[in-house]
Amino acid sequence: MQPTTQPASEYVEFWNDTLAEKFDRFQDILMNGLSYHSRVPLERLDIVPDSRILDVGCGWGDTAIALARRTGSRGEVLGLDCVERFLEDARRRAAEAGIDNVCFITADVERYPFEPEYDLCFSRFGMMFFEHPVVAMRNIHKALKPGGELMFIVWRDIEDNPWLGLPKQVVLDFLPPPGEDARTCGPGPFSMANPEVVTQQLEIAGFEDIAFERNDGPVEVGDSVENAMRFQLALAPFEQDGRIVMGSSSWTITARKPAA
Ligand SMILES: C[S@@+](CC[C@H](N)C(=O)[O-])C[C@H]1O[C@@H](n2cnc3c(N)ncnc32)[C@H](O)[C@@H]1O
């Protein structure tokens, strides 16, 4: 996997042996249904032609491929993710689109031996699962050239994300909460919801010009009630024109590595 002899962290193992299959099963919901949250930030992102870009936790590669189109044939994008089976899909997708300035590497972002060669690091929902968030941020800082930009999208609080909060509540009405020893994918989807905490983490990692922009909008959690219920539970009241749409809320966080 990554160029290191260290064993994979327990979270990376959990992504590979448990979550990857579930994510693949619901790829349409997770990649397309949630893309609302990256559409506007990506459109607004000013990408200098020929830039070198890193996409952290790139999953099935759709944002890495979009960035590769934007940076032009002399630019380059590296999509990095700890799950090889997601990247097999990403490579196939890039080949089908005829995009050859993107490549995908399986690695743990916390441990990958980056050189300071990237103008921009982007991530859509790929930053909330690190074993050591500040270590990962420091490593991303190391990957950026002086003056390089960071933009990443994370969920705001669960209360502002009923598409995740409501099914959780329904499940807890019927089942006991998971035990303390339950395996997890890391800190979790809401671990970067608090701007004060994330600002402090980014500052410790060496970033400046840190800003948060709130983004509220719909997410499509299924193309039929049946599929949505398979994805989660009890979503029928949210049906709109045959699609299942619920409220969601994210932060787009931007920061910069100080110029040398
Ligand atoms: C919620 S998914 C987001 C995927 C993709 N960015 C998207 O928006 O469709 C989180 C991704 O982060 C990856 N990931 C989690 N921890 C990681 C780590 N330590 N190093 C690299 N990738 C990681 C997972 O494998 C997964 O693909």
Side-chain angles (χ1 to χ4, degrees):
M1 202 175 108
Q2 65 254 17
T4 165
T5 50
Q6 277 177 283
S9 77
E10 61 174 300
Y11 299 151
V12 166
E13 271 183 7
F14 188 59
W15 273 102
N16 278 277
D17 66 30
T18 303
L19 289 181
E21 186 273 327
K22 292 187 202 303
F23 268 63
D24 271 346
R25 198 153 14 112
F26 297 108
Q27 183 186 94
D28 185 48
I29 297 171
L30 289 163
M31 190 173 74
N32 301 324
L34 306 186
S35 62
Y36 173 89
H37 289 272
S38 55
R39 201 170 305 135
V40 172
L42 273 178
E43 275 166 15
R44 275 213 303 261
L45 192 57
D46 190 16
I47 294 179
V48 179
D50 310 338
S51 298
R52 300 195 70 179
I53 303 171
L54 173 66
D55 188 334
V56 162
C58 66
W60 302 289
D62 63 317
T63 53
I65 292 168
L67 290 163
R69 287 186 205 278
R70 296 263 306 273
T71 188
S73 57
R74 287 191 303 175
E76 270 178 33
V77 177
L78 173 66
L80 203 127
D81 200 283
C82 63
V83 177
E84 170 63 15
R85 68 188 268 175
F86 292 161
L87 299 184
E88 284 164 12
D89 200 293
R91 290 184 197 107
R92 180 190 49 76
R93 205 178 286 277
E96 282 171 7
I99 304 287
D100 57 11
N101 61 333
V102 59
C103 78
F104 296 97
I105 292 183
T106 310
D108 182 339
V109 175
E110 284 184 47
R111 301 178 182 178
Y112 189 76
F114 290 115
E115 295 295 329
E117 55 190 334
Y118 294 98
D119 301 285
L120 168 69
C121 172
F122 174 83
S123 179
R124 181 183 67 197
F125 301 130
M127 296 275 289
M128 299 99 78
F129 308 102
F130 298 130
E131 190 177 14
H132 308 105
V134 173
V135 172
M137 287 172 180
R138 274 208 182 108
N139 212 22
I140 290 167
H141 183 273
K142 191 173 150 203
L144 289 168
K145 294 176 186 169
E149 311 263 356
L150 171 63
M151 172 187 270
F152 61 108
I153 298 161
V154 300
W155 294 118
R156 297 184 67 257
D157 286 329
I158 194 164
E159 290 74 26
D160 296 313
N161 281 288
W163 73 283
L164 281 170
L166 180 79
K168 183 175 175 192
Q169 195 46 56
V170 171
V171 169
L172 286 176
D173 284 347
F174 292 97
L175 295 171
E180 277 179 13
D181 55 351
R183 293 180 70 202
T184 72
C185 58
F190 304 107
S191 61
M192 294 204 168
N194 183 327
E196 279 171 32
V197 172
V198 178
T199 298
Q200 221 172 23
Q201 290 172 328
L202 285 166
E203 282 173 354
I204 294 168
F207 287 95
E208 62 181 20
D209 290 343
I210 298 159
F212 290 71
E213 190 166 310
R214 181 176 174 157
N215 194 16
D216 291 347
V219 294
E220 190 179 313
V221 291
D223 57 4
S224 68
V225 173
E226 205 178 51
N227 281 344
M229 283 176 72
R230 273 195 205 116
F231 178 54
Q232 297 190 334
L233 298 172
L235 302 179
F238 295 89
E239 186 166 358
Q240 279 178 20
D241 305 325
R243 323 292 292 177
I244 311 302
V245 177
M246 297 180 75
S248 66
S249 185
S250 65
W251 289 122
T252 297
I253 306 173
T254 50
R256 185 192 318 273
K257 176 171 177 167

